[in-house]
Amino acid sequence: MKSYPVTPNEAATLFQHCADRLPRAMPASTRAVLSRLVASVVEFGAGDTLVHLGSSFNALHLVVDGAFKSVMLGEDGQQQVIHFYWPSELMALDAFSSRTHATDLVALETARVYEFPFASIESEALKDAAFFESLLGFVSDRLVEAEGDQFMLGSLQATQRLAFFLTTTRQAREHAHLDAVVIDLPMTRRDIASYLGLTTESVSRLLGWMERQAMIRVDRRRITLLDANRVKALLEDTPGMSPLTNRSAAMHG
Amino acid sequence: MKSYPVTPNEAATLFQHCADRLPRAMPASTRAVLSRLVASVVEFGAGDTLVHLGSSFNALHLVVDGAFKSVMLGEDGQQQVIHFYWPSELMALDAFSSRTHATDLVALETARVYEFPFASIESEALKDAAFFESLLGFVSDRLVEAEGDQFMLGSLQATQRLAFFLTTTRQAREHAHLDAVVIDLPMTRRDIASYLGLTTESVSRLLGWMERQAMIRVDRRRITLLDANRVKALLEDTPGMSPLTNRSAAMHG
DNA sequence: CGGTCGCTTGATAATCGTCAATTGATGTGG
DNA sequence: CCACATCAATTGACGATTATCAAGCGACCG
C-alpha cells in the first residue's frame, strides 16, 4: 500500500479525473467542490488492508480503480463480508460514527483510491448546502443498502440470494461504467459465500445450476450474464424445490 | 394517529422534555439546539403505520414513549423486520436518501414521537458545526447497527441470534432508562422471528430452552433476564449441538 | 361464550452445511 | 524447467439445523 499526497502540478488533472469518477447522483457542481478536497492518492495490492477499529479512520475513500470488501470480525474469529465496493463508490461512510466497531477494508485486487480528510469534508459541508445534502444522502444511501442486505439475509433462500448478488453486482458495474455482461469477479467464492450467509459449496452448486439453466456462463471467476432478466426474476419467484437438492439431474423425459 | 403542532405556550416545557429524551451521546448544548426544532407531537395507537415510500418522509422522528418496528416489504409480499426502535432513538435516518425504497414504521404499542422537519434540521446543521457532526454521527451509528445486524444474520446460529436480540434489547432499554431486567416486550414472536431470520416456532423453542437453562424467565411477553452475562456469553461460544434438536430432555443423571 | 390470534409443543421434512476427495491454477525452490 | 505445495473451486454422499405441518391451549375481544 503506497500513499501519495497530491502535489500542486498534478492537482488540475487529478481534480478533473476525480470529478468524473464521483457518483452521477451528485450534481456536477458539487462533484467539482468535492474533487478539490482530494488530499492523497493511495494504491493497494491485492489483499492489502485498511484497518478500521473504532473511528480511527479520518478520511472518506473514493474507489477509483479495483474493488474492495468490507469485513466484520466476530468475537470468535468469525468473519462476515458486509459489502463489496466498486469504482465510484465511497468507503468509510460508517466511520463518522463515534461508537467502536470493527470493519476492515480489504483490496480484492490492485486498486486505487482518493482520500478526502473528514476535516475538510466537514468544513466544506458547513459552507455549501448542496454539498451537505449530498453527503448526508450518501450515508443515508449506504444505510438503505445495508437494510437491503438485511432483507436478503433474513428473507431470501440460497438461490434468490445469489440472484441478488448477481443483480446488484451488475448494477454496481453499470454505475462504474464497467462491462455489465461479462463480469470478471475480483472476489473468491468464499467472499461471495460469506456475504450471502452461505458456504462456498452452495455458491458453487448454485452457479452450476444457473449455468445449466442457461442463465449465466461460468468460467472460473468470469461470469457472463446470458439472461439477466431471468436471473432477476428469481428474486420475485416463489421458490420451488431448492436446486441444492441433489436429484435434479435424475429426471429425464 | 394524531398529530399536534407545537403551540407557543407549551413550547418551553416541551423543549425541556425533548432535550431530556435526546440521546446522551449528544452534547447537552446540541440537544438544546435540536429541541427547539420540534415542530409537532404525534401519537400512535398499536399498529398505526407511518408509510415511507421513496423519500416521502420529510421529518426525523424521535421516539418519546412506546416502541416501533421498521419493516421492509419484498416484491413477493415477504416482510422483513429491519429494526426495533426504543425511546430516545431517532427514526427515518435513512430517509435522507434520494433513492426509492420501501420501509414502513409501525407502532408496536401506544407511542408518541416528536417530529423534526428535515428543512429546519438542515438549515440548523449548516449554522452549527457541533450539531452537524452529531447528525452525521447518528446516521453513521445507525449504519453501524445495520452492519451489525448483517453480521448476526450472516454468521450466527439460531441460539446466538436470540442471544443477540436479548442483549441489544437490554442495552437499548438501558439507554432509554427502562427496566433492563424485567422486560415487557412490545413485539410479537413473529416480529422477533422476522428480525432474526427465523420462524416463530424456533423463537418459542429457544426461549423455552433458555428458560430451562435458568438464563431467563419467560411469562408470555414478559422476559426476565436472570443471568444476562450467560446470555451474552452465548454469542462468543462455539455453538455445540443446537437446542432445537429434540433429544435434549432425553438425558438425566 | 364463541372466535380469532398469539404462543407453545411435537413429529416430520427440506434446505443447506459438513466432510471428503478431486481437479486445476498458481507459485516456489531446486 | 519441473516437482512440489498450496489454494480455489467443484462435486458427491451424508447429516445437522431449522422450517414446515399440525394440533392444542390460553388470552383477549366482541
Side-chain angles (χ1 to χ4, degrees):
Chain A
M1 187 187 110
K2 290 190 175 181
S3 181
Y4 308 95
V6 172
T7 60
N9 20 335
E10 67 179 349
T13 36
L14 199 90
F15 292 167
Q16 184 54 48
H17 188 241
C18 176
D20 292 342
R21 286 294 177 151
L22 281 166
R24 301 289 157 197
M26 213 171 197
S29 58
T30 309
R31 271 185 271 153
V33 171
L34 182 52
S35 297
R36 257 173 265 119
L37 304 179
V38 178
S40 51
V41 179
V42 189
E43 289 177 352
F44 295 80
D48 286 353
T49 300
L50 206 52
V51 185
H52 174 188
L53 250 181
S55 39
S56 64
F57 270 168
N58 53 5
L60 284 188
H61 302 255
L62 175 72
V63 181
V64 177
D65 285 309
F68 290 77
K69 62 177 172 181
S70 68
V71 182
M72 181 169 279
L73 306 155
E75 322 266 338
D76 211 17
Q78 311 134 304
Q79 293 199 356
Q80 170 74 28
V81 171
I82 299 294
H83 194 71
F84 296 116
Y85 291 92
W86 296 93
S88 95
E89 293 191 70
L90 286 169
M91 303 194 291
L93 288 165
D94 55 359
F96 289 110
S97 168
S98 52
R99 129 177 24 181
T100 74
H101 59 286
T103 54
D104 293 356
L105 290 170
V106 182
L108 294 168
E109 57 188 337
T110 303
R112 193 171 47 199
V113 308
Y114 291 160
E115 281 194 2
F116 307 88
F118 281 157
S120 21
I121 294 252
E122 291 182 356
S123 79
E124 189 64 35
L126 286 167
K127 285 182 265 178
D128 182 338
F131 178 59
F132 167 80
E133 280 184 26
S134 286
L135 179 59
L136 217 48
F138 282 129
V139 190
S140 194
D141 266 345
R142 181 67 195 88
L143 174 54
V144 172
E145 278 182 359
E147 290 177 339
D149 288 345
Q150 242 180 286
F151 176 83
M152 180 269 289
L153 289 166
S155 297
L156 300 186
Q157 308 240 64
T159 313
Q160 300 176 294
R161 293 191 200 177
L162 189 60
F164 179 90
F165 168 74
L166 292 173
T167 304
T168 55
T169 296
R170 195 179 86 94
Q171 286 168 357
R173 288 177 62 94
E174 272 176 5
H175 286 139
H177 303 290
L178 296 170
D179 193 322
V181 174
V182 179
I183 302 175
D184 285 312
L185 293 173
M187 71 287 282
T188 64
R189 300 287 192 267
R190 174 189 290 250
D191 287 329
I192 300 172
S194 168
Y195 169 67
L196 297 177
L198 301 170
T199 57
T200 59
E201 291 94 330
S202 289
V203 171
S204 188
R205 281 186 247 268
L206 289 168
L207 284 171
W209 177 81
M210 286 190 188
E211 186 170 34
R212 263 173 268 126
Q213 304 299 311
M215 296 178 179
I216 63 176
R217 192 179 310 145
V218 182
D219 174 25
R220 206 149 171 77
R221 295 221 188 149
R222 167 166 295 178
I223 308 261
T224 309
L225 294 175
L226 301 175
D227 193 342
N229 287 332
R230 247 165 81 228
V231 173
K232 197 172 179 181
L234 288 173
L235 286 169
E236 290 143 32
D237 273 2
T238 299
M241 194 187 56
S242 166
L244 292 174
T245 304
N246 279 337
R247 31 188 167 157
S248 50
M251 25 194 332
H252 45 77
Chain B
M1 187 185 112
K2 290 190 173 180
S3 182
Y4 308 95
V6 173
T7 60
N9 20 334
E10 67 178 353
T13 36
L14 199 91
F15 292 167
Q16 184 54 47
H17 188 241
C18 176
D20 292 342
R21 286 295 178 149
L22 281 166
R24 301 290 158 195
M26 214 173 198
S29 57
T30 310
R31 270 184 273 153
V33 171
L34 183 52
S35 297
R36 255 173 267 119
L37 303 180
V38 178
S40 51
V41 180
V42 188
E43 289 176 353
F44 295 80
D48 285 353
T49 299
L50 206 51
V51 185
H52 174 188
L53 249 182
S55 38
S56 65
F57 270 167
N58 53 4
L60 284 187
H61 302 255
L62 174 72
V63 182
V64 177
D65 286 309
F68 289 78
K69 63 178 173 183
S70 68
V71 182
M72 182 169 279
L73 306 155
E75 321 267 337
D76 210 17
Q78 311 135 314
Q79 292 199 356
Q80 169 74 26
V81 171
I82 298 294
H83 194 69
F84 295 116
Y85 291 92
W86 296 93
S88 96
E89 293 191 70
L90 286 169
M91 302 194 293
L93 288 165
D94 55 359
F96 289 110
S97 168
S98 51
R99 136 182 12 187
T100 74
H101 59 286
T103 55
D104 293 356
L105 290 170
V106 182
L108 295 168
E109 57 188 336
T110 304
R112 194 171 46 200
V113 307
Y114 292 161
E115 281 194 3
F116 307 88
F118 282 156
S120 21
I121 295 250
E122 291 182 355
S123 79
E124 190 63 35
L126 286 167
K127 284 182 267 177
D128 182 339
F131 177 60
F132 167 80
E133 281 184 24
S134 287
L135 180 59
L136 217 48
F138 283 129
V139 190
S140 194
D141 265 346
R142 180 68 195 89
L143 174 54
V144 172
E145 277 181 0
E147 291 177 338
D149 288 345
Q150 243 182 286
F151 176 83
M152 180 271 288
L153 290 166
S155 296
L156 300 186
Q157 308 239 57
T159 314
Q160 301 176 292
R161 293 192 201 178
L162 189 61
F164 180 90
F165 168 73
L166 292 173
T167 304
T168 55
T169 297
R170 194 179 87 94
Q171 287 167 357
R173 288 177 62 93
E174 272 175 6
H175 286 138
H177 303 290
L178 296 171
D179 192 324
V181 173
V182 179
I183 302 176
D184 285 313
L185 294 172
M187 70 288 281
T188 65
R189 299 286 191 269
R190 174 189 290 247
D191 287 329
I192 300 172
S194 168
Y195 169 66
L196 296 177
L198 301 170
T199 57
T200 59
E201 292 94 329
S202 290
V203 171
S204 186
R205 282 186 247 268
L206 289 168
L207 284 172
W209 177 80
M210 287 190 187
E211 186 170 34
R212 263 173 269 126
Q213 305 298 311
M215 295 178 180
I216 64 177
R217 192 179 309 146
V218 182
D219 174 25
R220 207 153 169 77
R221 293 219 189 151
R222 168 166 296 179
I223 308 262
T224 309
L225 293 174
L226 301 175
D227 193 342
N229 287 331
R230 248 165 80 230
V231 173
K232 197 174 179 181
L234 288 172
L235 286 169
E236 290 144 30
D237 274 2
T238 299
M241 194 188 56
S242 167
L244 292 173
T245 304
N246 280 337
R247 33 194 164 155
S248 51
M251 25 193 334
H252 45 76

